[in-house]
Every structure is written in structure tokens, then in C-alpha cells.
Amino acid sequence: MAELLTPAILLSILSASVGAATIILLAALGELLTERAGIWNMGVEGTMLCGCLAAYVAMCETGSPITAAGAAMLAGVAAGLVIGFLTVSLKVDHFVTGLGFNLLASGLTLFLFRSYTAGGKPAGYATIDRWPIPFLSEIPGIGPILFNQHLLTYAALLLVPLVSVFLARTRPGLECRAAGENPEFLQAKGISVAKRQYGALLVGSALTALGGCFMMLAFANEFRPDISGGRGWLAIVAVIAGNWRPFRTMIAVIVFAVLDSLAVHAQGMGVAIPYQFFLMLPYAASILLLAVVRTRSGQPARLGIPFLRR
């Protein structure tokens, strides 16, 4: 393991970690908004898969990353509508809905992918390049880590304070939080709880699908079954470990991303440890975080509890 501790390798791991964190961070922020509105959206993994497939097809057909991002977000909105209809409108159990949707998305994306490629595999596409920020990216140490990333990485990092301000300082954000804390108050004020929950679900699902899109644009140029690889579950764990706070959630995401990046580098350097050990590190860390972080002061009081309009 000593070869992994050289300054050059550590710099490479940290730089790759920030990029890899973008996938989970976008999904985690989307899940954070959804849960603060009182919805346990366990369908993050399936929503991310939908975003991956939509981005893949859009890139194969148009070659435009912007179009791919738009297609992925539309797929996320569609997923959010399905989950919202079941949880908000029909009051179906949130966990059952999410798990069922994940199974549906896993099978449906595979079916659609095989149908799309039945006539011959589409030509691959080039992954997007990084956008180094002039001068800042040349700062020793921190420059390559923070300022030599993709545009969506910068956007995801910027979203962290924006989501924090939205939830704490804006009327729509406060109404979103009230939907998860005290929906009766919203009803007494004549404000629709369902609309606030649908809104949170649609925005959150669009962000989750955008995370899947980023995976296809920056790290892969072809779709594979279950390509999300459990990152949706890590996003849910990050929200819980972050105590439903944007900045704490980001820290949890970065921990997962560093471990994931360490696994990639270890395999590439031929470290004499089974690669499966490194692959399990992010998921083992997620279990450890849930066991250690027991504070739930930030959990919305009505999270997962259907609101029955009186």
C-alpha cells in the first residue's frame, strides 16, 4: 500500500474523487430535497438508471451533451411522477414503492437498451473533457483537485450552498420543509402539501437522473445493465449520515468517492490485495457510517408518513 501514499498518487486520487463525487452528490442533493418534503424516495437507484439510459441514447443520436442532460432530466421527471403518484396521491408505502420502482427500472432499462441496439450497436461517443479554470487550476495542490474538473462538477459543488440557502431562507424552501415537518400547518394556511411534495420529487429526481447522465458523459461511453452500481443507495446513506444537512451530506459523499477512487487506483497499480476488497470499501463505509452516526436531529418529523388530508 505504500505506493498509494506518494504525493503524486494522492493528488491523483483526490482529483479523481471530486469528479466521481459529482455522480453521488447530485443524487444526494436531489434526495435531500425530497426527504425534507417528507418523502422517503427509495427509488434513487432506478431513477439514476433511467438517467443513464436516456443520456446514452441522446448522445448516440445527437452527440450533444446538453441534449443528453436534458433527456436525462426529463427521464428523471418521469420517474418522479411515477413515484409521486404512488406515494403522494395513492399513499402507498414509500419503501415498497421505491424498491418496486428500482426493480422496474432495472428490467425496463435493460429491455429498452436491447431493443435500441437490436439492429446493431450504435457507434460509441467521446466522453466530455474537463474545463480547467484559468490560473486557479495551476495553484499547487488544491488547483488540480478543485479547479480542473468538469462543468457539472462545478455546478454540483455550487448547488450545495444554493440548496442550503433555498431550504433555510426562501419561502418555497420553508414550505418544502414544512411538508416534511408539519403538513397540517401548510393545510391550515391553504397551501397544498401534495404540490410541495410533488415539486420536491420532480426536482430531486431530475437531479438524480442528471447524476446518472454525468456518469455516462464523463466516465462511460456505453450503457450496461445496472451501470449505476449502487451509487443511488450511497446517496441515500449520505443524506442520513449528513443528518439531512447539505454540507454534511457533501462530506459523506466525498468519503465514499475517495474510497471508490482508491479502489480504481489500487487495481490499476496491481496492489497485491484482491480488488474485491477495494470495491467493497464505499459500501462497507456506508454501513459503518449508519452504525456510528446515530444523531437524527435533522430528520423531518413526518418523513415517510403519508399525509391524510382532513
Side-chain angles (χ1 to χ4, degrees):
M1 291 291 290
E3 60 268 30
L4 287 176
L5 301 179
T6 64
I9 295 298
L10 286 175
L11 184 65
S12 178
I13 290 175
L14 292 175
S15 179
S17 298
V18 174
T22 306
I23 303 169
I24 307 175
L25 183 57
L26 287 169
L29 291 175
E31 178 66 6
L32 175 65
L33 288 171
T34 303
E35 292 190 14
R36 292 303 291 266
I39 304 295
W40 265 118
N41 182 11
M42 305 302 289
V44 179
E45 185 80 1
T47 304
M48 188 177 289
L49 272 175
C50 293
C52 288
L53 180 63
Y56 168 75
V57 173
M59 279 297 290
C60 288
E61 293 295 326
T62 68
S64 168
I66 297 177
T67 303
M73 294 180 74
L74 284 176
V77 168
L81 282 173
V82 173
I83 295 172
F85 177 70
L86 292 171
T87 57
V88 179
S89 299
L90 299 185
K91 313 298 182 185
V92 178
D93 182 88
H94 295 190
F95 288 89
V96 173
T97 297
L99 295 177
F101 182 81
N102 288 336
L103 292 173
L104 172 65
S106 178
L108 183 61
T109 53
L110 178 58
F111 169 75
L112 294 175
F113 170 69
R114 289 181 174 174
S115 300
Y116 178 67
T117 57
K121 186 176 180 179
Y125 53 85
T127 55
I128 59 177
D129 296 324
R130 298 190 178 199
W131 283 62
I133 299 177
F135 304 112
L136 293 179
S137 61
E138 299 172 7
I139 299 175
I142 193 174
I145 297 174
L146 294 179
F147 304 114
N148 185 25
Q149 300 292 341
H150 298 88
L151 282 176
L152 270 177
T153 299
Y154 302 135
L157 294 174
L158 182 61
L159 273 175
V160 176
L162 290 179
V163 168
S164 182
V165 171
F166 170 77
L167 290 172
R169 302 293 181 184
T170 68
R171 180 180 181 127
L174 293 173
E175 290 176 354
C176 174
R177 289 171 53 192
E181 296 285 354
N182 189 1
E184 289 82 4
F185 170 77
L186 287 182
Q187 180 182 344
K189 297 286 287 184
I191 300 173
S192 172
V193 176
K195 287 182 179 179
R196 300 304 177 272
Q197 291 182 329
Y198 263 107
L201 258 171
L202 296 184
V203 174
S205 297
L207 286 176
T208 298
L210 188 60
C213 171
F214 180 73
M215 183 191 306
M216 300 305 300
L217 294 180
F219 298 101
N221 63 352
E222 65 177 1
F223 182 84
R224 298 188 303 275
D226 297 321
I227 192 173
S228 52
R231 290 176 177 85
W233 296 111
L234 290 179
I236 296 174
V237 173
V239 173
I240 299 172
N243 202 27
W244 289 267
R245 300 289 191 273
F247 284 98
R248 295 183 185 182
T249 297
M250 180 183 68
I251 293 173
V253 167
I254 290 175
V255 170
F256 296 148
V258 168
L259 293 174
D260 186 51
S261 182
L262 179 64
V264 173
H265 281 75
Q267 291 181 70
M269 297 180 64
V271 176
I273 297 177
Y275 74 92
Q276 291 90 346
F277 172 80
F278 293 100
L279 291 177
M280 79 173 187
L281 284 179
Y283 307 98
S286 69
I287 296 174
L288 182 62
L289 275 173
L290 289 178
V292 172
V293 181
R294 307 215 174 168
T295 302
R296 293 291 183 267
S297 60
Q299 177 175 332
R302 298 294 295 272
L303 179 59
I305 302 175
F307 173 65
L308 302 177
R309 183 180 178 89
R310 296 177 177 83

